Every structure is written in C-alpha cells, then in structure tokens.
Amino acid sequence: MSIDLSLDRVRKLQALLPPYTRPTCHITGTNGKGSVSALVSSILRASAPSPTFLVGRFNSPHLVTVHDCITLNNSPVSPEMYNAARSRVEETDANHSIGASSFELLTCTALHIFETVRADIVVAEVGMGGRLDATNVIPDETVLVSAMTEVDLDHQSFLGETIGAIAREKAAIARKGRPFVLGQQAHAEVESVVREVVGQAGGDVLLAPTVTLRDWDEVPDGPLPSAPLPPPPQPVEAAIACFPETLHALLPLYGEHQLANLGTALGVISAICTHSHVPWRAHIAPDSVTRGIKETTWPGRLSFHKLPGRQQYVLVDGAHNPASARTLAAYIAQLRPRIVTYILALSHSPPKTPAQTLAPLLALSRDIKIGVALVTFSQPAGMPWVRAEPIEVMRTTVFAQAPDTEVWASNAEAAPFDQFRTAMLWALDRHANTGADGLIVVAGSLYLVAEFYRLMRSDI
C-alpha cells in the first residue's frame, strides 16, 4: 500500500462529522515540529486560566500505541475515548464508501475527540508536507497561527526534489489573515518561498525570535547539577514581541537545534498574544511561559534513560534522515564519550538512502570507539506502507563507510522486539565497564524508539 496525498477523501469525511471549531495552532516542517508542538502545548497548559482548561495535541507518528499521538493536557487519551471516536469515524467512512486512508481516519478521530471534549486550544502537527496533508482539512477560521520549523530534504518522492519545492508544499498550510511563524532555517531559499506562498494566501509572515544560551544563574536556576549524565537543562534567554522584558528559562530538551525549536514555539505563543482574540490570552505571562518551557517533555528526542535495574544510560533519538542524523552526531560529539554503541534500524524510504542517514553517525572522531547493532522494528499500527530496511543492506552500508566498525547483526527471522532486546543485551555487555565514558544510542527511526519504550516496560 502506498501513500496517496489528497484532501478529497478527508474533506468528504470531515464534512459528515460534527464541525470542527476548536482554536488551533498548526505546525509543519521537516525536523522539530514535534518538539515545537510539545513546547507550545506545555506553555499553554502552564498558562491555563483554570484547572479545567484543556490543551489538545495531535502528533504523528504515534510512539508506543496509537493513543499516545492524541493528548489532552499532555496525557494520552484513554483507549475508551479513542475507540469511541474512531468507531464513529470509521462507521461514517464505511457508510458513505469514502475509502479514507489510515492517516485520514486518524486525523478525523483526533479532531472529533478535540471537538467532543471542547478543547480550549489544539496544537496540531502536520503529518507530511502540508498542502495535501490530512491536517490541512482544519477550517481556516479555527487556525490562530501556523508555523514552520526547519525545512530539509525528506520524503522527496511526495514533496519534491528540492528544498524550495518542499518548502512550498509545507508553507501551503498558511491561512488568510493569520500569522505564519517561520522558524530558523539552514537553507536561505526557504524564506523567499515562504513569503511568496504565505503572501498569496493572504497571511502574515513573522520570523521566530532568536533563542541564545546564557550562563547558569543559581538565583533563578538553582544549583547546577553535578552528574555528567543526564546533562543539566540548557539555560536560555530570548526577547519576544509580546513581553517587554527578556525571558530567562531552563530548556530541558537537549541539543543546539532545540534553541531554534524553542524560538519557533515562542513565536507561536507571541502570535497568539498579539494577533488573536482568544479571551484567555491575557493569562500568558513571562512566568507561565518559563514554567511551561521547564516542564516540557518530549520522549524519544535526545532523551536519556536507564533501563530497570541497569546503571548504563541510553540516549534515545528518532533521527531518521540526514539532517536529523547530523544533529544527533553533533550532540554525541559534544558529550565526548570514549565508546559509543548504536542500535539502529531505518525505514525504507527512497530516494533517501541508508548511506545518507548513517554517514554522520559513523563519522564521529577517531578517538571514539564505535559499535553498531543492526535490527528491524515492529510494523507500526495503521501504517501498512512502512517497512524497515533489510539488515543486510544496512550492514553493507556500515562496512562501506566504516570498515573497522564492530558490527552485531540480528537474525532477520526473529521477531523485531526480540531482535531489539538481544541487541540491547549485546550493547550493555559492550559497556559493562565504561561508566560515564560510554554511551548506548538508539536511533534511525521513531518506530525503533518505540521498541525501546516497550522494553522499558518489561524485564530485560
């Protein structure tokens, strides 16, 4: 089964369901849109005018179960709530022979849940692209602000072969008369394309504020943690249009790229304050924003964990394309480990190749002793088009780029979860005596990251 990008089916389906009326922040981009949505929803929750204030969030793909991609106040919806909404959506689809795709059904399920509970604000992440993504069925009048994170090459088969073409697809979520926050970009051509597309739609481009690192200050920040892992949060500052004073905050999301993501999130918050008329916007204040930043969690993105009963830290990251792999590699280099063991799986997603994604991870300093465990991942629910790169293809790629690398390859016939468990045992044995000088890294796909979180819930 292939992906068929179109709004025809989802528009027909959504028109037969209760109208969607919830105020919404719509976020697109290649990398970082999930982090931005997590930051925005955490800040909005910290700024809630009452305990009953509901912040909905829709991310994709899901991490461990399909329910965790739809959250209310940062908690996944219950299976009962999800199943009731999904049944209503699927019944409507079947009764009218629409033939909506899995992601279209999921999107309508999320919107139906948010409408049913009367969410006060929703943060919706685009699935792929923007113009033809199912989330673009969200009515124009409900969108408070749209935003775009960094654009890079990914999904070229669907979105175009160039950065400019991809940016054009993503910028098409712009709405007439609404602000469009443009996050920091690595490619200069993105801004001109975005200004053209947003201008044609009648929107208003706002550049995201710049977030910079600052020195740790024990007065507002408290004592600086002394343990090497996990690292302390990043002390940051930023000036945003809606506040006269500079914000000082602790950012618990790691990596330099998260400064840009926070800038995009702050741009969204500022746009809500300056460009919308929601009655609760006056409750967004500097102290609630800094508290929301500090309380943000976003599993599977440069996340540090210890498995039950183990002392070795594991760094888990969903880096799945060349740009995010470069970001991960740069962060690992900053930590200066002596030994790194990757547990890797990749999705088969031409024209992106395994070599393009693996190259940055295998190009760490020669002073770092690298080992690689190669596995596949469990088929994600509702995504029959997703498949893992064959282990032998990845092994050939690793040896071609780093022939001296120690490689452990799983038995491809074993169940994916068993592959991952065995790979983790191999990695733990490799790090038996490394302490803080060694790092196990799970990366290559969010579907593999899901295997890690399943392992966290079991005995290894």
Side-chain angles (χ1 to χ4, degrees), residues 142-196:
T142 68
V143 175
L144 300 181
V145 53
S146 306
M148 179 189 286
T149 63
E150 182 184 13
V151 174
D152 217 308
L153 294 175
D154 203 6
H155 303 301
Q156 293 99 302
S157 297
F158 303 99
L159 306 179
E161 296 294 334
T162 67
I163 295 294
I166 294 171
R168 187 172 297 277
E169 287 291 314
K170 293 179 181 295
I173 67 168
R175 301 305 208 275
K176 183 178 181 179
R178 298 293 195 268
F180 187 103
V181 176
L182 179 60
Q184 180 179 316
Q185 299 294 322
H187 301 279
E189 61 264 41
V190 172
E191 183 174 344
S192 60
V193 171
V194 168
R195 289 191 179 279
E196 177 190 345

Side-chain angles (χ1 to χ4, degrees), residues 61-62 377-384 386-387 447 454:
H62 63 268
F377 50 73
S378 299
Q379 182 69 41
M383 298 182 181
V386 174
R387 61 188 180 95
Y447 310 124
R454 293 186 188 102

Side-chain angles (χ1 to χ4, degrees), residues 190-379:
V190 172
E191 183 174 344
S192 60
V193 171
V194 168
R195 289 191 179 279
E196 177 190 345
V197 174
V198 176
Q200 290 172 348
D204 183 16
V205 175
L206 305 177
L207 297 182
T210 299
V211 177
T212 57
L213 290 172
R214 59 177 174 83
D215 292 333
W216 190 280
D217 185 345
E218 290 197 352
V219 175
D221 301 333
L224 179 64
S226 58
L229 293 178
Q234 302 188 82
V236 297
E237 61 183 9
I240 62 176
C242 62
F243 299 140
E245 66 268 35
T246 299
L247 278 176
H248 293 81
L250 292 177
L251 176 62
L253 307 184
Y254 301 119
E256 184 179 356
H257 64 294
Q258 292 293 3
L259 304 185
N261 290 334
L262 177 56
T264 305
L266 291 176
V268 170
I269 296 299
S270 183
I272 292 173
C273 293
T274 59
H275 286 68
S276 79
H277 301 286
V278 287
W280 43 263
R281 70 187 188 282
H283 291 270
I284 300 175
D287 62 334
S288 67
V289 173
T290 56
R291 187 170 67 255
I293 295 169
K294 186 177 182 180
E295 293 173 352
T296 301
T297 60
W298 190 226
R301 285 76 171 179
L302 291 184
S303 303
F304 285 89
H305 300 278
K306 285 183 179 179
L307 289 164
R310 304 284 181 162
Q311 294 304 308
Q312 176 65 48
Y313 274 103
V314 180
L315 176 60
V316 182
D317 189 71
H320 63 283
N321 57 38
S324 56
R326 289 192 295 270
T327 297
L328 172 58
Y331 182 69
I332 294 171
Q334 290 176 12
L335 297 177
R336 298 182 178 179
R338 184 170 54 86
I339 298 177
V340 169
T341 302
Y342 293 112
I343 303 178
L344 300 173
L346 300 173
S347 294
H348 179 72
S349 183
K352 178 176 64 180
T353 67
Q356 292 170 332
T357 302
L358 295 180
L361 303 179
L362 299 172
L364 296 176
S365 167
R366 292 183 179 180
D367 296 331
I368 300 175
K369 185 178 180 182
I370 296 177
V372 177
L374 300 172
V375 297
T376 60
F377 50 73
S378 299
Q379 182 69 41

